[in-house]
Amino acid sequence: MDEEYDCIVLGTGLKECIISGMLSVSGKKVLHMDRNKYYGGESASITPLEDLFTKFNLPSPEETYGRTRDWNVDLIPKFLMANGQLVKLLIHTGVTRYLEFKSIEGSYVYKGNKISKVPADEKEALTSDLMGMFEKRRFKNFLVFAQDYKDDDPSTWKAIPGFDPKTTTMSAVFAHYNLDKHTIDFTGHALALYRDDDYLAKPAGDTLKRIKLYSDSLARYGKSPYLYPLYGLGELPQGFARLSAIYGGTYMLDKPIDEIVLEGGKVVGVRSGNETAKCKQVYCDPSYVPERVEKVGQVVRAICLMDHPISNTKDALSTQIIIPQKQVNRNSDIYVSLVSYTHQVAAKGWFIAMVSTTVETDNPEAEIGPGLTLLGPIKQKFVTVSPIYKPLNDGVENQIFISESYDATSHFETTCLDVLSIYRRGTGEDFDFSKVKHNLGDEDM
Amino acid sequence: MAQRTSVQRPSGGGQGKICQFKLVLLGESAVGKSSLVLRFVKGQFHEYQESTIGAAFLTQTVCLDDTTVKFEIWDTAGQERYHSLAPMYYRGAQAAIVVYDITNQDTFGRAKTWVKELQRQASPNIVIALAGNKADLANKRMVEYEEAQTYAEENSLLFMETSAKTAMNVNDIFLAIAKKLPKSDNSATGSQREGMTLRPSDPTPGPAGCCK
């Protein structure tokens, strides 16, 4: 490794792998290393099942769990929005050819101790059991406005007199349509996917765009706006790593990282044992630079192995349930996700549920109680409380660009925003998708 | 020399059924993995082929009697260099060509390690072929034909010495693999393509390429 590179990337989590791919595609000479002997870091899917049990200091799983190689268990629960940033990145970079996806069957929201399907279009709004008859009509009118809304086209704002996307608040928009607090709750949390209520006092443009993303995603593949890759989320970093390798990136796993070498306040290399690779920039996750990040919060996540689907979801083999904060007297939402053997992540007949939220008290496990209750009997539960780190600075001065920890959101939109922001800080420009040569020796894709 | 009779390019339009298989290449750096594929897919050879950059996903069809076998060929993209191939690479592979260089004994030893790795990581029914490449350099031979053949027989591998430079046995080894692959509807579609592949603004999901 005693060579000279433009960039060294440390850690093979999803963010680092996307960045590595973008840098290689842009013609940079990239060395990508990981201290682990597997790809994915925090965004790996653990296989075989005994590795998951070992990770949590438990004895090997019993035989009832089937072939342990059939399990690929994510550590961080997330889905892809079908019309979201990550899908765009996958398609534009061609990485999608290495992956197969399934649509998540159901999207539910919790209200008054029970769950209901999230209504996302006018037809669903009119049949939803979440609202009374008059409220349904008001909600339908609101949805029509949200779906037609365009940031840059004042003719789509006319329904609300005096509307300005930069100044009109979201609560003013809700007030215009006279929506009640329950409708506001599921709109903000299950459609716009906010984790708290700060958005109400902010300009409405961003929220309307989020609602549009939800309904456009739903329109794309049907049953729900969410997609999930077969064999687990750990396939995503592997796919982008392959992209980086195809464009010349060098990969080294199982490589201890001993020092990031600086000269005159700027990074000049990375040392592993007595080898040092020279570079002009380093891109990494927070675990490689504990002294350059700060803790800004915690996420609690429970991985639950089950032999049945979740009640009241029509036996869906995959689903998402959002428990809006207000329903359970919290400040942030609780997310429940379910995938199963049909996604090649569990042995035949098995399900993996995840319950997660942002930690608010000193008893995190109790905070996800309402989510765990929805699941029914759980065969095995693994609970983690993970700190969320943010970099202390933007990296431009020392040329060390650090990603943020994966947050509690249920999808990859914030992941992509972080990646695009890091790329921009590191290279001074936005990523140019036209640099991906689409038909690399491939005649029929 | 090259036998082109049963290989059509760019893609043969056979009658009968079309079966698609994922084929992965394995072997030490610089044994000629990419050159073999380039010869097979494009009929080309470059004396000073650079380390693999770019081409890492090629397709080529082979016509057997009533069946068109379409290979979806995965190159290592250099990720074998520091033993950093991802599990995704082996996933769903129905065939593999493990390549060594007949002028380099170490690469033969490494080929045996790759075979073990395939037996551990890949599907149990995978068809594995061993290719002793650079057969045009027989005057510098370090790996005896018989030694490799014995090893291949003991491990139920197809075996041929090949030359990407002269095209010797290149089409033949792919053809031999095509013949050995199961082509009943179940086996060719069996473990494959249960999900959908994302395409630009393609709202209708559906199973992609398999026996129809």
Side-chain angles (χ1 to χ4, degrees):
Chain A
M1 66 177 266
D2 293 311
E3 275 183 66
E4 196 164 341
Y5 297 87
D6 293 318
C7 319
I8 296 180
V9 183
L10 305 177
T12 55
L14 178 59
K15 288 184 184 179
E16 279 64 38
C17 286
I18 300 176
I19 290 166
S20 175
M22 288 172 152
L23 291 169
S24 290
V25 164
S26 307
K28 299 277 192 287
K29 189 176 175 190
V30 175
L31 172 63
H32 199 163
M33 298 191 280
D34 196 307
R35 63 166 86 85
N36 298 316
K37 59 180 183 227
Y38 55 87
Y39 280 92
E42 284 280 284
S43 34
S45 304
I46 305 295
T47 185
L49 188 60
E50 50 264 37
D51 284 12
L52 181 69
F53 279 66
T54 308
K55 196 177 169 68
F56 287 88
N57 300 315
L58 290 166
S60 284
E62 315 151 21
E63 278 181 16
T64 50
Y65 289 102
R67 275 213 322 232
T68 59
R69 288 217 157 265
D70 291 344
W71 292 80
N72 295 286
V73 184
D74 302 333
L75 298 174
I76 297 174
K78 282 189 190 294
F79 290 140
L80 291 85
M81 299 291 289
N83 211 34
Q85 291 287 336
L86 185 54
V87 167
K88 285 185 184 140
L89 272 172
L90 283 164
I91 290 173
H92 288 246
T93 56
V95 171
T96 178
R97 68 181 56 166
Y98 309 134
L99 303 162
E100 288 174 75
F101 291 87
K102 276 198 168 165
S103 202
I104 295 299
E105 290 177 27
S107 169
Y108 291 83
V109 63
Y110 178 94
K111 183 196 163 193
N113 290 321
K114 70 183 195 80
I115 57 172
S116 305
K117 198 161 186 307
V118 178
D121 60 27
E122 297 136 58
K123 205 174 111 216
E124 285 193 338
L126 290 174
T127 56
S128 174
D129 58 356
L130 280 167
M131 297 165 282
M133 198 171 58
F134 295 109
E135 183 69 3
K136 278 179 192 174
R137 294 210 186 127
R138 291 190 287 266
F139 180 64
K140 181 187 153 247
N141 292 336
F142 164 75
L143 267 188
V144 170
F145 171 72
Q147 269 159 5
D148 292 343
Y149 173 83
K150 286 194 188 75
D151 237 359
D152 52 358
D153 181 1
S155 72
T156 66
W157 313 345
K158 277 190 290 195
I160 303 177
F163 179 88
D164 179 335
K166 290 206 172 64
T167 57
T168 309
T169 64
M170 198 58 210
S171 51
V173 173
F174 285 139
H176 175 82
Y177 286 96
N178 209 10
L179 299 181
D180 73 27
K181 63 175 192 210
H182 293 297
T183 309
I184 292 172
D185 214 25
F186 81 68
T187 303
H189 295 262
L191 291 181
L193 301 169
Y194 284 108
R195 284 168 293 167
D196 55 42
D197 274 350
D198 294 352
Y199 77 96
L200 286 169
K202 291 182 181 161
D206 190 38
T207 306
L208 292 167
K209 270 191 270 178
R210 282 163 166 253
I211 294 169
K212 203 168 156 54
L213 170 62
Y214 188 99
S215 54
D216 288 351
S217 295
L218 184 72
R220 198 120 192 234
Y221 296 107
K223 303 171 201 160
S224 85
Y226 303 111
L227 297 171
Y228 185 82
L230 296 189
Y231 303 102
L233 297 176
E235 297 294 280
L236 297 167
Q238 292 179 43
F240 283 101
R242 184 166 166 78
L243 173 74
S244 180
I246 287 168
Y247 281 87
T250 301
Y251 275 81
M252 293 183 188
L253 300 184
D254 203 8
K255 200 85 184 162
I257 307 303
D258 296 311
E259 188 187 353
I260 295 177
V261 187
L262 279 87
E263 263 172 34
K266 267 196 162 61
V267 70
V268 293
V270 172
R271 182 173 68 80
S272 172
N274 47 24
E275 301 172 288
T276 300
K278 290 190 190 127
C279 67
K280 302 180 191 84
Q281 296 186 313
V282 163
Y283 295 80
C284 64
D285 74 48
S287 71
Y288 288 88
V289 281
E291 72 290 357
R292 297 178 191 280
V293 293
E294 61 178 335
K295 184 173 156 184
V296 293
Q298 294 184 106
V299 187
V300 55
R301 302 178 174 112
I303 303 168
C304 305
L305 311 185
M306 319 198 298
D307 56 7
H308 58 85
I310 299 173
S311 307
N312 306 316
T313 60
K314 295 181 180 149
D315 288 345
L317 300 171
S318 57
T319 192
Q320 177 173 89
I321 305 167
I322 292 174
I323 305 177
Q325 31 135 345
K326 278 200 188 126
Q327 293 292 329
V328 285
N329 299 315
R330 293 174 49 77
N331 298 316
S332 45
D333 296 353
I334 301 170
Y335 293 110
V336 178
S337 67
L338 180 85
V339 289
S340 65
Y341 59 96
T342 52
H343 308 93
Q344 318 287 352
V345 295
K348 185 82 185 155
W350 285 90
F351 296 76
I352 304 170
M354 295 261 235
V355 184
S356 61
T357 193
T358 306
V359 173
E360 294 173 5
T361 70
D362 49 17
N363 187 359
E365 197 173 341
E367 295 185 48
I368 50 175
L372 294 171
T373 308
L374 287 177
L375 301 181
I378 297 163
K379 288 280 175 181
Q380 183 68 54
K381 187 172 68 183
F382 309 90
V383 180
T384 55
V385 178
S386 314
I388 300 188
Y389 294 110
K390 282 195 173 170
L392 290 171
N393 58 57
D394 65 9
V396 172
E397 206 172 300
N398 57 18
Q399 294 290 296
I400 301 174
F401 302 94
I402 306 162
S403 62
E404 296 177 12
S405 308
Y406 296 89
D407 59 26
T409 55
S410 60
H411 49 72
F412 286 108
E413 298 308 297
T414 53
T415 304
C416 292
L417 290 178
D418 193 24
V419 164
L420 295 170
S421 157
I422 291 168
Y423 184 87
R424 196 177 307 119
R425 270 144 45 200
T427 64
E429 53 193 44
D430 287 324
F431 181 63
D432 178 1
F433 284 102
S434 69
K435 282 182 181 158
V436 185
K437 287 178 254 160
H438 261 283
N439 295 311
L440 282 173
D442 178 14
E443 284 137 8
D444 64 355
M445 281 291 289
Chain B
M1 287 300 287
Q3 294 171 9
R4 295 274 164 83
T5 45
S6 34
V7 177
Q8 305 180 1
R9 54 183 66 85
S11 62
Q15 70 293 1
K17 63 183 174 189
I18 302 168
C19 289
Q20 183 165 319
F21 297 99
K22 174 176 172 180
L23 181 149
V24 296
L25 286 160
L26 289 166
E28 230 19 21
S29 303
V31 295
K33 297 183 293 297
S34 303
S35 296
L36 277 179
V37 178
L38 203 59
R39 170 60 78 183
F40 174 58
V41 174
K42 298 198 167 158
Q44 299 171 350
F45 179 78
H46 304 298
E47 190 77 46
Y48 300 102
Q49 173 76 24
E50 280 184 42
S51 289
T52 309
I53 291 184
F57 192 93
L58 294 132
T59 57
Q60 176 63 297
T61 53
V62 170
C63 290
L64 300 174
D65 304 330
D66 61 337
T67 312
T68 302
V69 171
K70 183 174 180 186
F71 286 115
E72 184 185 283
I73 305 166
W74 290 46
D75 202 342
T76 56
Q79 281 176 303
E80 82 287 4
R81 206 165 139 210
Y82 300 101
H83 319 297
S84 302
L85 273 175
M88 163 185 274
Y89 191 70
Y90 301 98
R91 180 118 52 225
Q94 291 134 306
I97 302 181
V98 178
V99 187
Y100 69 93
D101 171 356
I102 66 158
T103 70
N104 182 334
Q105 183 71 38
D106 287 349
T107 65
F108 182 57
R110 282 295 302 160
K112 292 180 181 174
T113 315
W114 286 114
V115 170
K116 280 200 198 107
E117 187 71 3
L118 279 168
Q119 286 162 345
R120 196 173 66 84
Q121 291 238 34
S123 100
N125 305 321
I126 189 166
V127 173
I128 305 174
L130 180 67
N133 196 35
K134 306 196 187 176
D136 52 286
L137 301 176
N139 57 338
K140 294 185 193 160
R141 174 188 292 280
M142 298 300 286
V143 183
E144 290 307 320
Y145 183 90
E146 291 73 21
E147 184 190 359
Q149 192 179 36
T150 308
Y151 168 75
E153 277 169 13
E154 283 166 3
N155 290 275
S156 313
L157 316 177
L158 292 165
F159 171 62
M160 285 184 198
E161 285 195 346
T162 56
S163 167
K165 187 172 179 178
T166 69
M168 178 185 119
N169 279 343
V170 175
N171 290 340
D172 306 68
I173 199 163
F174 282 92
L175 198 58
I177 293 167
K179 283 182 180 153
K180 204 175 167 187
L181 282 163
K183 283 163 293 285
S184 69
D185 286 355
N186 286 340
S187 54
T189 56
S191 60
Q192 286 290 293
R193 304 290 179 196
E194 287 178 52
M196 57 195 177
T197 311
L198 306 180
R199 297 225 159 92
S201 51
D202 169 13
T204 45
C210 52
C211 284
K212 286 186 184 121

